[in-house]
Amino acid sequence: SEQYVRTGLYDVFSLGWTVRLLERLRDERSEAFSGRLCALRAGDSLLAAHFGMRSFGTLYWWFPAYEPAFSKYSPGGVLLY
């Protein structure tokens, strides 16, 4: 939400149904489909996070976010890598 507000985009997480959908996707676990939450941390600091979906062997990149204070290190790119 903070990233959407900071960048002037509509905060899709402010809608209750969006959050409920993402929670259902996160909890789904099958070979054909699952939600995935990934995080990149350095000590106690969260540098980047991503929520997406996986189907069989493919990860679909959906909601990435990173901590702007660490932007010179490209934490989102490191997380994706």
Side-chain angles (χ1 to χ4, degrees):
S1 288
E2 181 182 318
Q3 183 170 317
Y4 279 113
V5 171
R6 184 179 67 251
T7 58
L9 297 173
Y10 182 76
D11 178 13
V12 297
F13 300 113
S14 68
L15 303 170
W17 72 265
T18 304
V19 174
R20 288 189 302 275
L21 171 64
L22 294 176
E23 288 170 343
R24 287 188 66 192
L25 294 175
R26 177 199 63 203
D27 294 341
E28 182 62 37
R29 295 281 181 253
S30 73
E31 182 180 348
F33 179 85
S34 68
R36 288 288 189 228
L37 178 61
C38 306
L40 175 65
R41 296 182 173 276
D44 292 333
S45 298
L46 177 61
L47 306 183
H50 163 259
F51 182 81
M53 299 169 287
R54 183 216 30 93
S55 180
F56 297 99
T58 303
L59 176 66
Y60 298 93
W61 193 250
W62 203 11
F63 289 109
Y66 68 91
E67 174 55 55
F70 296 96
S71 62
K72 70 179 183 177
Y73 303 108
S74 301
V78 172
L79 178 64
L80 177 59
Y81 180 70

